[in-house]
Amino acid sequence: MAYEFVYESESKRYRSDCSNVLKETCELLKEKGISAQFSLVGSGARNMITRNGDGPYDLDYNLLVMKADNEYRDPRLLKDTIRNALNKAVGGKFFSDAQDSTSCLTAILYFEKSPDIKFKFDVAITTKNKNGNYMRLIHNKNVYALGWDQYTWNEVPNSHQVKNKADKLKKKGVWQEVRGKYLEKKNMYLSWQDHNHPSFVVYVEAVNEIYNRYFDRRVVPCEIVFRF
């Protein structure tokens, strides 16, 4: 099996449903002392939604925590609070309760007449560090410290200017190269059975690689030889 792109028209309905759920989630979090905003990860926002063969496809969102009460310095409490808010928001909207995976929360949509999974959306909990890079909240379920699962904030390298870089590439007219690189990397990690590169990380890698090709070329000094 391999990843392929999904037509934008096919995903339009689900983008609307997810947006409504996440708007409600953010309102519920505000009542809990957490200021957050959601955004469709660059891969989906720029018509780069993928599906693995004939399987279900998903939309990837970042939930950016901008400000939170001091008690949420505990990342376990932060993720549990966000998961509970998301579960409340999806209630009665055909989605399952959010599953807590390593790097995101996943809600699955089941169709009434079929038990098969048709669609799911993943929500990565993020914040930004002092350098402006994104940090993803990771739940390491197989690492135990003092009897607890481990929660850590992992930096996404070179992610602080990814939107500006993407805009510049699109303006230059080379966005198809980004799409091609993104799909190539998704399938590369799939073939390696590498589950540590979610869509947002792959997207950042693809944008940076193509951006460096066009805008960040290093000037190599020429060697000048004088002949007498």
Side-chain angles (χ1 to χ4, degrees):
M1 304 295 279
Y3 282 107
E4 58 186 25
F5 288 119
V6 174
Y7 288 111
E8 187 173 8
S9 58
E10 186 177 348
S11 65
K12 186 175 181 180
R13 170 202 165 184
Y14 303 116
R15 292 201 309 271
S16 177
D17 289 343
C18 291
S19 179
N20 291 335
V21 166
L22 289 169
K23 283 178 183 175
E24 186 174 344
T25 300
C26 287
E27 289 299 317
L28 292 169
L29 290 175
K30 190 182 297 183
E31 297 172 5
K32 296 289 186 178
I34 299 172
S35 176
Q37 65 182 24
F38 70 91
S39 61
L40 189 59
V41 167
S43 59
R46 294 179 182 272
N47 194 22
M48 291 166 63
I49 302 166
T50 56
R51 169 169 38 210
N52 186 0
D54 295 327
Y57 67 92
D58 57 271
L59 293 177
D60 299 284
Y61 288 85
N62 281 344
L63 187 75
L64 178 65
V65 177
M66 299 176 292
K67 188 177 180 182
D69 292 347
N70 284 336
E71 62 184 302
Y72 298 112
R73 291 180 181 275
D74 177 0
R76 177 189 298 273
L77 177 61
L78 177 64
K79 189 168 189 180
D80 283 346
T81 303
I82 293 173
R83 180 173 56 82
N84 289 334
L86 181 59
N87 287 344
K88 187 174 181 179
V90 301
K93 295 182 175 65
F94 306 108
F95 289 102
S96 69
D97 280 354
Q99 300 173 2
D100 180 8
S101 65
T102 300
S103 60
C104 61
L105 297 168
T106 300
I108 297 173
L109 176 63
Y110 295 92
F111 282 82
E112 202 171 314
K113 296 181 180 180
S114 171
D116 297 334
I117 298 171
K118 299 295 184 182
F119 171 81
K120 64 187 178 72
F121 71 95
D122 293 329
V123 181
I125 301 169
T126 65
T127 188
K128 287 189 176 183
N129 62 18
K130 61 182 180 180
N131 297 321
N133 280 334
Y134 283 92
M135 305 285 289
R136 296 186 303 126
L137 182 54
I138 303 297
H139 180 188
N140 297 306
K141 298 182 180 181
N142 296 323
V143 177
Y144 294 89
L146 301 177
W148 292 83
D149 293 4
Q150 186 184 65
Y151 288 78
T152 59
W153 288 100
N154 286 11
E155 184 177 33
V156 182
N158 303 313
S159 57
H160 66 295
Q161 292 184 336
V162 67
K163 183 181 183 303
N164 292 337
K165 290 178 179 179
D167 290 341
K168 198 170 179 178
L169 289 167
K170 207 161 191 184
K171 186 175 180 180
K172 188 174 177 63
V174 295
W175 193 248
Q176 287 300 321
E177 292 187 39
V178 178
R179 283 167 55 88
K181 180 58 65 177
Y182 175 75
L183 200 61
E184 175 189 318
K185 284 180 170 288
K186 288 274 286 188
N187 283 315
M188 177 185 72
Y189 290 127
L190 177 66
S191 68
W192 293 352
Q193 295 296 299
D194 182 337
H195 304 295
N196 295 318
H197 285 78
S199 295
F200 180 55
V201 174
V202 178
Y203 174 74
V204 170
E205 289 181 357
V207 168
N208 280 322
E209 189 166 328
I210 303 302
Y211 184 88
N212 290 341
R213 181 183 301 171
Y214 286 98
F215 298 108
D216 198 23
R217 297 175 182 173
R218 295 186 178 183
V219 178
V220 179
C222 297
E223 180 180 358
I224 302 176
V225 179
F226 293 95
R227 299 183 183 277
F228 297 93

